[in-house]
Amino acid sequence: MQSAGLRSWQDRAVVAVALASLMAGVGEFGAVAALGDVSRAFGSHNPGTTIADQAGLSGTSLGAGLAVIRLASVGGLLVAGLADRFGRRRTILLTVTAGLVLTAATATSPGYWWFVAVFAAGRPFLSATNSVSAVSAAEHTGSDSRSKALALVAAGYGIGAGLTAIVHGLAGSQLGFRGVFAFAALPLVLLPLIRRWAKEPDRFALAAAAHPAELPVIAAVSGPFRRRLAVVAVIAFALSMITGPGTGFVFLYAQNVRHVPGYLTASMVVAAGASGLAGLLAGRWMADRLGRRVTSAVGMCGLAGLGLVTYAGSGWTLVAGYVLGVGAGSMIAPATGPLITEVFPTPIRASVMGWWTAAGVVGAAAGLLLFGAVADAGGMFWAAAAATFLPATLAVPLFWLLPEPVGREPEDLCPEPIRAEPFASNRSTVREYRVDP
């Protein structure tokens, strides 16, 4: 009989994957934070009221470029799936290094589409880092700590994204977009710490020993779980229809359309950080008491509604909508993360998260293209937001097609080649489970 350790959400192994997610946030958010500077650097400047006149590039070009960057994350499906064969720790170390090096190389781009291509090359690795970090945190913890661990990973990503936005807001005019993207290499100093703290989850090690690995991503997801996978994919698509353009255009809208000064943009990001923390705490509490499905649904509806407020037409509604929208979006992470990871068995969990990422990428790309096209046609961001966000909320009832996992271990919800039985341990941060292969 073998034993597997379940760790506290405060354990160093969980903190390590949260730091990896922070590094991914720094890299991925650069295209959003510096989009206004990129548009001005590579676009033309003419007096007028069209999106191209105000932003430098047309809404269609900006939306298409962001869509290409998002679509590149589909490669994260294959990269994340490799974690089901080669391990969570090894995959995270590889992907976060490759992703940040390629992102920093974006600073050398000679033109807009070169910028899109180089940034897109690093995107699959950063998306895979975030996905596998969430899987690792979920597998390290039990049902009483899992939402806290995933909230910590989400907070790590949010802090990384916020750092990039703050650096751009305070020093963007001096650094330019090239300096902002070069900043992505700085978090690599955390890599030795992550290498030392990160551990392979015992759940994965035991599952890998119990049977040989399937082909990652596709063959790994067997028939009994494909219906759940389809539901998860549709939810991810719809949710990203909101988050893709909701975050993708907001800084360009603030800087180039509403002409919000840099210091106010940085202040908005700081306030959004506090709102995001409040959202994570509220989401964690609701997820453990009201359920993962209810919390996810409330957060998604709030995200859509506040997205409309963000683009409603004034600087104050922009600030209020963005700050509160970050809080609503943060509520989703402690609920949806456990929901997705808990209803699938260990040997395919990273592959499922890869599908979640890929479906979200397609949804974000569709949302960006639709948002940009509507904004170009009518010259109004609020109309683009309404046309994109409201239809996506039709997917909210799909959460109830998934089982409610509150208070249950993944092994209780899915047939696995391992069986876990809890027993007492004297260690404060590790709780052991006996596992029969």
Side-chain angles (χ1 to χ4, degrees):
M1 180 168 292
Q2 298 168 289
S3 63
L6 294 184
R7 303 171 184 272
S8 161
W9 66 278
Q10 300 167 308
D11 189 88
R12 291 199 301 183
V14 178
V15 173
V17 296
L19 289 174
S21 192
L22 181 151
M23 294 166 73
V26 170
E28 284 197 311
F29 207 69
V32 174
L35 185 60
D37 289 341
V38 171
S39 182
R40 282 194 293 265
F42 298 130
S44 58
H45 305 277
N46 302 302
T49 58
T50 67
I51 300 301
D53 292 333
Q54 298 176 66
L57 292 169
S58 70
T60 301
S61 294
L62 292 167
L66 288 174
V68 169
I69 290 171
R70 290 298 184 114
L71 284 171
S73 292
V74 171
L77 167 63
L78 299 174
V79 179
L82 293 176
D84 282 337
R85 175 166 289 187
F86 300 111
R88 305 347 185 180
R89 178 181 180 275
R90 185 185 303 178
T91 302
I92 289 170
L93 291 171
L94 170 66
T95 55
V96 74
T97 303
L100 288 182
V101 168
L102 287 167
T103 300
T106 307
T108 63
S109 301
Y112 176 66
W113 290 107
W114 275 102
F115 157 77
V116 170
V118 177
F119 193 85
R123 187 77 184 210
F125 297 100
L126 296 176
S127 296
T129 298
N130 205 36
S131 297
V132 180
S133 294
V135 168
S136 183
E139 291 178 343
H140 273 310
T141 52
S143 62
D144 55 342
S145 292
R146 192 166 296 118
S147 63
K148 300 181 183 70
L150 286 160
L152 183 64
V153 171
Y157 183 90
I159 290 170
L163 284 174
T164 302
I166 290 170
V167 167
H168 177 265
L170 295 179
S173 58
Q174 290 78 34
L175 294 174
F177 82 90
R178 300 185 191 278
V180 172
F181 283 103
F183 172 75
L186 185 61
L188 288 171
V189 300
L190 295 173
L191 202 58
L193 183 64
I194 295 173
R195 188 186 301 275
R196 186 164 63 250
W197 284 4
K199 306 293 181 185
E200 198 66 65
D202 284 0
R203 268 196 172 106
F204 170 77
L206 292 169
H211 64 90
E214 298 284 351
L215 179 68
V217 179
I218 299 173
V221 184
S222 57
F225 299 103
R226 285 179 183 165
R227 177 180 173 275
R228 288 185 187 177
L229 180 61
V231 173
V232 163
V234 174
I235 291 172
F237 180 93
L239 184 59
S240 294
M241 280 277 290
I242 302 170
T243 59
T247 58
F249 282 100
V250 68
F251 289 98
L252 177 138
Y253 180 68
Q255 296 160 24
N256 296 29
V257 178
R258 290 299 157 199
H259 305 293
V260 176
Y263 72 88
L264 185 55
T265 302
S267 301
M268 181 177 78
V269 173
V270 172
S275 174
L277 176 60
L280 286 171
L281 294 175
R284 191 203 74 190
W285 184 90
M286 291 174 65
D288 286 340
R289 288 163 178 78
L290 303 181
R292 318 302 200 206
R293 297 178 300 192
V294 170
T295 307
S296 298
V298 170
M300 186 171 175
C301 290
L303 195 60
L306 290 165
L308 292 175
V309 173
T310 300
Y311 294 104
S314 75
W316 288 111
T317 58
L318 163 66
V319 172
Y322 177 75
V323 170
L324 296 176
V326 169
S330 298
M331 285 178 57
I332 299 175
T336 305
L339 180 63
I340 302 308
T341 56
E342 289 169 330
V343 300
F344 293 95
T346 300
I348 65 171
R349 196 167 286 128
S351 294
V352 169
M353 285 299 290
W355 277 109
W356 168 267
T357 299
V361 164
V362 176
L368 287 163
L369 289 171
L370 177 60
F371 192 103
V374 175
D376 266 350
M380 294 178 291
F381 277 81
W382 69 265
T388 308
F389 301 161
L390 294 181
T393 59
L394 296 175
V396 166
L398 295 181
F399 284 109
W400 276 264
L401 295 181
L402 298 172
E404 178 56 70
V406 170
R408 304 165 72 185
E409 295 297 338
E411 293 80 8
D412 299 328
L413 295 164
C414 317
E416 295 203 35
I418 57 175
R419 178 172 59 85
E421 297 176 357
F423 68 95
S425 171
N426 293 325
R427 287 175 289 179
S428 60
T429 62
V430 178
R431 184 156 52 89
E432 290 188 345
Y433 271 68
R434 297 190 188 278
V435 181
D436 288 330

